[in-house]
Amino acid sequence: MAAKFQSTKVGAAALALGMTLFGMGALSTEASAMVKINADFFGSADSDVKDSQNGELNTQAYGVSVDTTYFSVGARRTDYDFSGINDYGFDSGNTIYADAHYNGDFSNNLSYSVGLMVGALYEDDFDLGDSYAVSPRAILGYRFTNGLTGFLGAYVNFNGADNVYLPIIGLKLGDESDHGWSGSIAYPATRVQYRFNNFWAVDGTFLTVRDTFHLDDDNERGTLKDGYIREESYGVGVGVTLNPLTHFQVSLGLFSYFDREFKLYNHAGDEQDSFETDPTYGGYLRGSLVF
């Protein structure tokens, strides 16, 4: 079967569920045709804003998505709740996206995966000309005789502020429906799972966040009017997935951001300011209908 690097974007709600915080899931094996409808919640505790006077930030996100073998669509809202400071001038981010992906084989051992995500990330006022996000990706995979697949590729995110370029590299074993170990040890997203039986499994995740939101034109900081904010973060999570019914799946767990930075840009894409937060923790919940 061909390898697949699947996009299931819900951004910051993404942790151990293959929803990446910047919109890309872990490399997975192509399965038979199916439809998966997901609803997600993510929330973090207060974390101190570095170099501020009593400034704190917590985050909540809500998302819905539909994934099929070749296509995914989704939407997410992220709320940023600041306390003790009010000069950053933003409190929310909205994401809508569509993603197409295709996998194939060059030979018995050599496979490929290509994909394209298009969407919009914006504060409250939707303006496609400034809030666009276009993200192509391409991956080559090589299947070894021991069942492992090595893969190498690239991801690009074109946006109105400052484009993002990331390598894709890793090693994959099995499929998440397999009993025992499966998953991908990779960058920018890792997910390793151990499935005990058809009812439940546990997993661990590492992920990279690169979300760039277009800010409204009434921002209280003049230099940020019609500008952008980008979150650049890294996190880890542990979770459990339960399959209580044939067509229903629930995943929940805990996570921690160990490195979180926000960069602020003006409308021309020039960086104006940045700030970091201390490590924080939180939880996530996903319910899925699978057909």
Side-chain angles (χ1 to χ4, degrees), residues 223-234:
T223 58
L224 298 182
K225 289 183 177 180
D226 215 20
Y228 300 88
I229 179 167
R230 170 175 295 162
E231 179 178 352
E232 297 187 355
S233 302
Y234 296 96

Side-chain angles (χ1 to χ4, degrees), residues 10-27:
V10 287
L15 284 180
L17 307 175
M19 313 168 272
T20 76
L21 291 189
F22 70 155
M24 297 189 301
L27 191 78

Side-chain angles (χ1 to χ4, degrees), residues 257-268:
Y257 285 123
F258 60 85
D259 184 1
R260 198 177 194 191
E261 182 180 10
F262 295 85
K263 295 182 178 181
L264 302 166
Y265 301 83
N266 62 17
H267 182 66

Side-chain angles (χ1 to χ4, degrees), residues 124-191:
D124 287 310
D125 298 333
F126 176 79
D127 182 349
L128 185 58
D130 290 318
S131 61
Y132 69 90
V134 179
S135 302
R137 61 191 182 275
I139 302 171
L140 287 176
Y142 185 84
R143 288 184 289 273
F144 300 99
T145 55
N146 59 4
L148 295 175
T149 298
F151 56 90
L152 180 67
Y155 163 90
V156 182
N157 173 249
F158 300 106
N159 60 81
D162 187 17
N163 298 332
V164 175
Y165 304 89
L166 290 174
I168 300 170
I169 185 170
L171 191 65
K172 180 189 178 302
L173 171 66
D175 184 76
E176 65 179 27
S177 63
D178 296 340
H179 290 190
W181 291 105
S182 65
S184 301
I185 300 174
Y187 181 86
T190 284
R191 183 173 187 264

Side-chain angles (χ1 to χ4, degrees), residues 65-183:
S65 59
V66 178
D67 303 321
T68 72
T69 304
Y70 301 109
F71 194 79
S72 303
V73 294
R76 179 191 82 239
R77 178 177 175 86
T78 305
D79 292 321
Y80 299 96
D81 185 9
F82 289 95
S83 60
I85 52 176
N86 59 6
D87 60 345
Y88 290 116
F90 72 96
D91 57 14
S92 65
N94 294 279
T95 301
I96 55 174
Y97 76 94
D99 183 273
H101 35 266
Y102 183 78
N103 317 289
D105 290 309
F106 291 119
S107 66
N108 289 335
N109 297 103
L110 190 61
S111 62
Y112 67 91
S113 178
V114 292
L116 176 67
M117 187 276 289
V118 294
L121 287 80
Y122 57 97
E123 186 177 3
D124 287 310
D125 298 333
F126 176 79
D127 182 349
L128 185 58
D130 290 318
S131 61
Y132 69 90
V134 179
S135 302
R137 61 191 182 275
I139 302 171
L140 287 176
Y142 185 84
R143 288 184 289 273
F144 300 99
T145 55
N146 59 4
L148 295 175
T149 298
F151 56 90
L152 180 67
Y155 163 90
V156 182
N157 173 249
F158 300 106
N159 60 81
D162 187 17
N163 298 332
V164 175
Y165 304 89
L166 290 174
I168 300 170
I169 185 170
L171 191 65
K172 180 189 178 302
L173 171 66
D175 184 76
E176 65 179 27
S177 63
D178 296 340
H179 290 190
W181 291 105
S182 65

Side-chain angles (χ1 to χ4, degrees), residues 243-264:
N243 298 82
L245 300 171
T246 301
H247 297 291
F248 179 67
Q249 181 182 87
V250 60
S251 300
L252 66 161
L254 302 174
F255 71 90
S256 174
Y257 285 123
F258 60 85
D259 184 1
R260 198 177 194 191
E261 182 180 10
F262 295 85
K263 295 182 178 181
L264 302 166

